[in-house]
Amino acid sequence: MATVTDERLFGKSIKRREDPRFITGQGRYVDDLKLPGMTYAAFVRSPNAHARIRRIDTAEAARHPGVVAIFTGQDMTGVNSLPCGWDLRKEKGVPGVIQDLAIVPHMPLSTDAARHVGDPVAVIIADSQDAALDAAEKVRLDWEVLAAVTATDKAAAPGAPVIHAGAPGNVAFQWEIGDAAATDAAFEQAAVTVKKRIVNQRLVANAMEPRACVARYEDATGELTLWVTSQNPHVHRLLMCAFVLGIPEHKVRVIAPDVGGGFGSKIFLYSEEVVCSWVSRRLKRPVRWTSTRHEAYLTDAHGRDHVTDAELALSKDGKMLGLRVRTTANLGAYLSTFAPAVPTFLYGTLLNGVYEIGAIHCHVSGVFTNTTAVDAYRGAGRPEACYVLERIVEAGALALRMDPIELRKKNFIPKFSGAHQTLVAVAYDSGDYPAATDKLLRIFDYKAFRAEQEAARKQGRLLGVGFSTYIEACSIAPSKVVGALGAGAGLYESAKVRVHPTGTVTVFTGSHSHGQGHETTFAQLVAHELGIPIEQVEIVHGDTGSIAFGMGTYGSRSGSVGGTAILMSLNKIKDKGRQIAAHLLEASPKDIEYSKGQFQVRGVPGKAVPFGAVALTAYVPHNYPEGLEPGLEETSFYDPSNFCFPFGAHACVVEVDRETGLVKVLRYVAVDDVGNVINPMIVDGMVHGGIAQGVGQALWEGAVYDERSGQLVTGTMTEYALPKADQLPMYETDRTVTPTPVNPLGVKGAGETGTIAATPAVVNAVVDALVPLGVDHFETMPLTPERVWNAIRRATTR
């Protein structure tokens, strides 16, 4: 029988329960799966950024020992294009659309032309991985090489090569939000205006585990099982079955076992899992594909890649009167699953930031290029918005010769709870932006730093501090709302709580864990609510065969949306338990309360029955209420009523070497407000990892294409500079707590905060260090030593 406890686990730092198996090499990943009769897939990919396919000769490859079959796109009859799950078309009633989304074909294996380096055109199936790879090199491809365009700001220029016949001028869509006339009027009234070109460079996700899949078709039952590195297995199944392969969903099971990170890149439906599933049905044998790191760089959805012209209008005393933003967003060669949402409703709607701004207008053009598709990458639109806003605010402070903290404080939205309507559609849930900033300044000791900085400058040292006061939108809004904005799916979450006869509990959650620690935090929540030891709670996720339809993990939604679904099921469990306990205690259900793991009669000490006894009674219903079903298992679906809006203030101190341009991060302080926190240690880990990625974008990372050939120059970890541990400081983190009224847990979301805040904080710090030399802006990141050195030399020459 289960025991009870009065230990309060919500808000306690508990070590992650899943870590022992990971650090001892006992994780269960897709590539670990061994099946009888396994075959192996290797994809033949285009070496050209843009080329028409004249002929694919597979004869020599087919003779290679071990080859089982070879397929091209022409062989995959009856297979449809990979779908785009966010439709920005006027006929759908999506607000803000100026030019409809160009729906262009994206076949799993290209049949007419390759549109980026790495575009798959054939697949080799062999009895071993080596045989498949060797045979792939023997496929002869005859190409008509075409001109390519990779640069974001050149894609729609006159004369640019046309990538899709259905997208004239390579424009995928045009969209706007805000009030253009009011913004124009604000600029006419302004005493000071600043304008900057701001580039959010392209990034590669770099999850520890590359994408992989194993497909197994069972001819006897007509059932297909797909093991895949997915952040949302139910969405994978829906898109692949209903839209691409035309397989009934009840005949397909998608399993996402342990997944070694995703950062958004494993949300989407990709060609490889579709092709392997189709091939397995064709050959009636299991098929495995595991990406190489180079393939991952070429094919995993990239992030960011915006070119923006931003303008800020200010009064003489520093009030923000107007913000005008014009962005060109690179979508790559094809529309990835949720690509159109990222530079629109996840970007433009965050441009109000934490400030009271008189008027805002944003215009976004999405463009196609001969590059890898771009979609959600940690933060997904919100980091891009924060970077634009925090850089233009910093530029405004310089123009006014005002302290950047003073300018921010002058324009903060005052403390509120319930709703604050912005000028860009969304209504914030709760916020106290001055409190987070004040706490940051106390920890940082701003006055002392400015004195230290002044002394350092007299010695010739270039010290700088940069701030970022940010807001994020997570727990993506109600299904009806996102449906009206173009989403092709609901954004609820599911949870089934199964209480076993002995009182132990299994939770089946539609959220997916790929590093977030759900097996710990969700178990904490359950143990806390039921008053049982955490060891008696099991969390199950990632299998469409055992879990109610769920939407997976992305957008910092698991705690607030997934956790609330679990809480709803727990409340149903308690409600049924009260009826059972009332019967056993000969009391009215309305007089039964649940506390410390037992049902007790209110006001009558000692008259109680423990949770485990009620659970056993539910499954052995000899003494049981009339008309009540046996068993103790409940399912809930939670559809949020609004976004949640975490916020905070970050500060970064850097030193720049004027002789080499090298930037060294000396100190990083973060004060975040993510509402109530289930496990502070895990949240701190999320913040630390997010900051590392944000600093990485500012100083080192960037996917670079050669404009002439269209080749990805940074196609491996040798050329793509990821941050190293010795390049990052020990972070100082703290929190304020402003619970959200949107969900009963008061939880907002923490997974992306650091990524959003860190990039502008670092760049602002570098600019602050170099302002005395005449450097007041960097158009493009990363701020490599060469880029910084050249800026110093140009400023010095001037």
Side-chain angles (χ1 to χ4, degrees), residues 57-209:
D57 184 351
T58 62
E60 184 182 357
R63 292 192 294 269
H64 187 82
V67 170
V68 175
I70 301 176
F71 300 102
T72 68
Q74 300 293 344
D75 300 314
M76 295 183 68
T77 56
V79 176
N80 298 316
S81 170
L82 273 64
C84 175
W86 204 287
D87 192 347
L88 299 182
R89 284 187 290 178
K90 293 177 183 177
E91 67 183 63
K92 299 290 184 178
V94 179
V97 175
I98 303 170
Q99 180 177 322
D100 284 347
L101 180 69
I103 306 295
V104 298
H106 183 191
M107 301 308 295
L109 294 176
S110 295
T111 56
D112 59 341
R115 293 177 174 84
H116 69 91
V117 174
D119 215 351
V121 297
V123 63
I124 310 293
I125 308 297
D127 286 327
S128 71
Q129 190 69 67
D130 287 344
L133 291 170
D134 290 344
E137 293 183 1
K138 295 183 177 182
V139 174
R140 300 290 175 252
L141 299 168
D142 184 12
W143 300 98
E144 179 189 348
V145 178
L146 306 172
V149 59
T150 60
T152 306
D153 56 352
K154 296 179 181 178
V162 176
I163 299 169
H164 294 281
N170 296 326
V171 176
F173 65 83
Q174 291 191 57
W175 174 90
E176 68 178 353
I177 195 168
D179 189 328
T183 304
D184 291 344
F187 274 83
E188 291 174 3
Q189 300 165 10
V192 174
T193 63
V194 288
K195 181 177 182 179
K196 299 292 182 185
R197 170 155 283 209
I198 297 170
V199 177
N200 251 286
Q201 82 273 31
R202 179 180 287 239
L203 301 177
V204 179
N206 279 292
M208 285 193 293
E209 180 196 20

Side-chain angles (χ1 to χ4, degrees), residues 675-745:
N676 292 331
V677 174
I678 299 173
N679 188 315
M681 181 188 71
I682 288 178
V683 167
D684 285 344
M686 290 179 175
V687 172
H688 288 190
I691 292 170
Q693 285 179 284
V695 176
Q697 179 178 5
L699 297 181
W700 302 293
E701 294 188 50
V704 178
Y705 283 90
D706 180 79
E707 287 197 30
R708 292 187 63 187
S709 67
Q711 297 293 324
L712 180 61
V713 177
T714 53
T716 71
M717 287 185 175
T718 303
E719 301 88 13
Y720 187 95
L722 290 167
K724 311 297 188 296
D726 63 350
Q727 296 172 313
L728 299 168
M730 295 297 291
Y731 308 121
E732 302 166 60
T733 60
D734 210 324
R735 276 183 286 277
T736 57
V737 179
T738 310
T740 179
V742 170
N743 64 68
L745 293 170

Side-chain angles (χ1 to χ4, degrees), residues 256-268:
D258 289 329
V259 174
F263 308 121
S265 69
K266 293 174 183 172
I267 298 172
F268 322 117

Side-chain angles (χ1 to χ4, degrees), residues 28 82 272 302 535 607 641 644 739 784:
R28 300 178 300 276
L82 273 64
E272 292 81 8
H302 292 172
E535 293 78 16
K607 193 171 184 181
S641 61
C644 295
T784 60

Side-chain angles (χ1 to χ4, degrees), residues 35 94 126 266 271 287 342 360 386 437 537 651 690 711 734 778:
L35 297 176
V94 179
K266 293 174 183 172
S271 297
V287 180
V342 177
I360 301 173
C386 180
T437 302
V537 182
Q711 297 293 324
D734 210 324
F778 286 90

